[in-house]
């Protein structure tokens, strides 16, 4: 009798709602303290993280196939100002050196396309001379070819994994859907918490749906028209307890990385696209795309074919020694 009462209470929606609220309130304290939205002016780490996103936006711009000549000038000016401010506040010089390198590549890139960039160049040179900054040739774009990529997709993991890039410069040869099926087949082996395999994968190949999905996601302006398939990875909330609300993102994230590699292995060009939106935006996306309420979007993957010659953003990586802590 006591056990039956206990399990009735445990499964009661109102009780579970209260427990979720309690968990979320608990989490919200450290989230408020530590997330990137608060205290950016005083917390140099957070400021740097915000600048990193803006610097990468310029790099992304350069890797878009049909980019506008002279794009992003206002963004570049405000970045130069904010980098100077970061140094004044004691921010990392190494970070500024790397950011300046991306800005220099950005100037060169636009000049080569015929844009007038002298004003930005003057502002950047001023920053460099004020703080004795020498750029280090990091960042910008790589020019790659389908031949390069194809020679590496079936290689051992060390070469294979280093040859995957996010593509924003797609080809127009038709996408072979059998390659998508083959990639999905490979991903059946993705690990998940307690082997729950809670993902639901929505594959869109019809033009109207593909376009609608990318427009709703919003992070592929300038190149969504060139992608032929959208794959939305969702987690099914029914598989998770009230204290496991982040686990669908872990399981779905593992699936997503596996799928990116599997699509790459099958010779398809891909890009991961964030589903980290406000709750109301996610709600709208789910409504418009007929995603049932029990599913939570984790990541969107844009898929297309390669051009013979294309460009990608370098997206410079930190050495693992900067963030791996052994026995500390
Ligand atoms: C979770 C996630 C969300 C992303 N969202 C976007 C996006 O909305 N738009 C975009 O152009 N790139 C997006 N990217 C691509 C990243 O910019 C890219 O993965 C990163 O710069 C590393 O470059 P690489 O994928 O070429 O190695 C996303 C990547 C991840 C992992």
């Amino acid at each position: 009798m006591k056990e039956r009462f206990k399990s009735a209470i445990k499964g009661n929606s109102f009780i579970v709602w209260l427990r979720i609220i309690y968990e979320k309130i608990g989490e919200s304290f450290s989230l408020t303290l530590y997330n990137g939205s608060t205290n950016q002016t005083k917390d140099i780490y957070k400021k740097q993280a915000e600048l990193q996103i803006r610097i990468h936006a310029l790099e992304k711009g350069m890797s878009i196939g049909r980019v506008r000549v002279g794009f992003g000038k206002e963004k570049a000016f405000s970045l130069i100002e904010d980098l100077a401010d970061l140094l004044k506040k004691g921010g990392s010089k190494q970070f500024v050196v790397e950011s300046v390198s991306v800005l220099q590549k950005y100037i060169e890139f636009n000049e080569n396309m015929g844009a007038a960039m002298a004003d930005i160049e003057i502002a950047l040179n001023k920053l460099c001379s004020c703080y004795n900054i020498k750029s280090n040739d990091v960042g910008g774009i790589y020019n790659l070819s389908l031949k390069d990529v194809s020679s590496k997709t079936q290689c051992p993991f060390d070469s294979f994994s280093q040859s995957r890039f996010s593509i924003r410069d797609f080809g127009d040869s038709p996408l072979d859907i059998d390659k998508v099926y083959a990639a999905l087949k490979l991903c059946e082996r993705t690990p998940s918490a307690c082997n729950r395999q809670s993902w639901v994968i929505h594959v869109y190949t019809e033009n109207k749906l593909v376009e609608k999905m990318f427009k709703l996601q919003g992070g592929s302006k300038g190149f969504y028209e060139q992608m032929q398939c959208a794959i939305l990875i969702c987690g099914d909330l029914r598989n998770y307890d009230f204290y496991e609300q982040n686990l669908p993102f872990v399981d779905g994230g593992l699936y997503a990385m596996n799928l990116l590699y599997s699509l790459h292995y099958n010779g398809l060009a891909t890009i991961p696209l964030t589903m980290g939106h406000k709750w109301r935006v996610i709600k709208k996306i789910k409504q418009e795309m007929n995603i049932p309420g029990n599913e939570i979007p984790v990541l969107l993957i844009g898929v297309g074919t390669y051009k013979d010659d294309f460009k990608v953003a370098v997206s410079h990586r930190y050495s693992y020694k900067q963030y791996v802590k052994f026995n500390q």
Side-chain angles (χ1 to χ4, degrees):
M1 188 69 182
K2 213 173 158 187
E3 280 309 304
R4 224 187 290 163
F5 177 72
K6 257 187 175 172
S7 74
I9 289 282
K10 227 178 130 187
N12 178 285
S13 300
F14 180 65
I15 302 286
V16 173
W17 181 74
L18 285 178
R19 295 179 99 174
I20 290 175
I21 297 261
Y22 179 75
E23 291 291 318
K24 293 279 171 201
I25 289 176
E27 267 178 34
S28 69
F29 289 112
S30 63
L31 284 178
T32 309
L33 259 183
Y34 297 116
N35 87 53
S37 302
T38 54
N39 221 2
Q40 265 184 14
T41 42
K42 287 191 191 138
D43 188 324
I44 286 175
Y45 186 95
K46 289 182 185 180
K47 184 71 205 163
Q48 218 165 279
E50 189 258 339
L51 284 170
Q52 172 75 54
I53 296 171
R54 284 160 58 197
I55 286 283
H56 184 59
L58 288 184
E59 232 186 7
K60 273 200 239 186
M62 287 185 260
S63 71
I64 293 176
R66 294 173 200 158
V67 69
R68 182 172 56 81
V69 177
F71 78 97
K73 262 180 138 184
E74 248 174 68
K75 281 184 188 158
F77 271 121
S78 79
L79 268 166
I80 294 170
E81 259 175 42
D82 288 354
L83 287 171
D85 193 48
L86 185 80
L87 284 174
K88 270 186 220 148
K89 289 179 176 151
S92 153
K93 190 158 176 192
Q94 183 56 28
F95 173 78
V96 177
V97 168
E98 284 164 11
S99 305
V100 163
S101 307
V102 174
L103 280 160
Q104 255 162 4
K105 301 271 175 179
Y106 157 81
I107 291 170
E108 272 167 38
F109 176 87
N110 276 297
E111 271 175 353
N112 289 341
M113 290 201 305
M117 303 299 283
D119 43 358
I120 296 270
E121 214 166 356
I122 290 167
L124 189 63
N125 288 343
K126 201 171 151 202
L127 173 77
C128 292
S129 63
C130 268
Y131 293 94
N132 191 23
I133 290 165
K134 291 184 179 63
S135 77
N136 63 0
D137 205 32
V138 158
I141 51 167
Y142 290 135
N143 289 301
L144 301 181
S145 71
L146 175 56
K147 222 168 137 199
D148 295 335
V149 176
S150 308
S151 69
K152 292 193 179 131
T153 49
Q154 313 280 315
C155 276
F157 189 72
D158 53 356
S159 311
F160 166 78
S161 62
Q162 307 304 297
S163 70
R164 184 210 56 80
F165 285 92
S166 289
I167 306 300
R168 300 180 184 87
D169 185 15
F170 291 87
D172 50 20
S173 59
L175 181 142
D176 177 359
I177 194 67
D178 284 341
K179 293 185 175 177
V180 175
Y181 292 138
L184 292 166
K185 180 75 193 153
L186 283 181
C187 288
E188 288 173 356
R189 286 281 303 150
T190 302
S192 59
C194 310
N195 202 23
R196 278 177 255 198
Q197 302 168 66
S198 319
W199 35 72
V200 184
I201 314 299
H202 298 270
V203 181
Y204 304 103
T205 55
E206 280 174 25
N207 286 351
K208 268 192 183 161
L209 289 175
V210 173
E211 186 177 331
K212 189 173 173 186
M213 184 68 247
F214 288 135
K215 278 188 173 164
L216 285 165
Q217 189 272 339
S220 57
K221 283 193 191 98
F223 60 94
Y224 72 80
E225 297 93 338
Q226 303 166 4
M227 295 190 278
Q228 300 173 50
C229 173
I231 304 183
L232 181 65
I233 294 147
C234 293
D236 187 334
L237 291 172
R238 291 173 300 180
N239 293 284
Y240 300 96
D241 223 322
F242 72 90
Y243 54 86
E244 297 179 319
Q245 298 309 310
N246 295 324
L247 218 42
F249 300 103
V250 178
D251 286 340
L254 287 170
Y255 186 94
M257 188 67 239
N258 212 6
L259 185 56
L260 284 169
Y261 277 143
S262 299
L263 291 163
H264 180 52
Y265 179 77
N266 280 283
L268 294 176
T270 63
I271 180 161
L273 297 164
T274 184
M275 275 291 141
H277 298 296
K278 288 179 192 140
W279 172 72
R280 285 181 61 170
V281 177
I282 290 290
K283 198 172 153 201
K284 180 167 188 254
I285 294 176
K286 284 174 70 174
Q287 264 168 2
E288 298 267 335
M289 299 308 292
N290 290 322
I291 310 286
N294 55 293
E295 292 178 26
I296 182 88
V298 175
L299 189 81
L300 180 66
I301 298 182
V303 190
T305 54
Y306 283 107
K307 269 182 177 171
D308 288 339
D309 296 291
F310 58 97
K311 49 192 179 158
V312 293
V314 169
S315 296
H316 169 64
R317 302 300 212 273
Y318 306 131
S319 156
Y320 74 88
K321 290 172 192 152
Q322 263 178 265
Y323 51 79
V324 176
K325 299 175 184 180
F326 286 101
N327 304 319
Q328 280 178 30

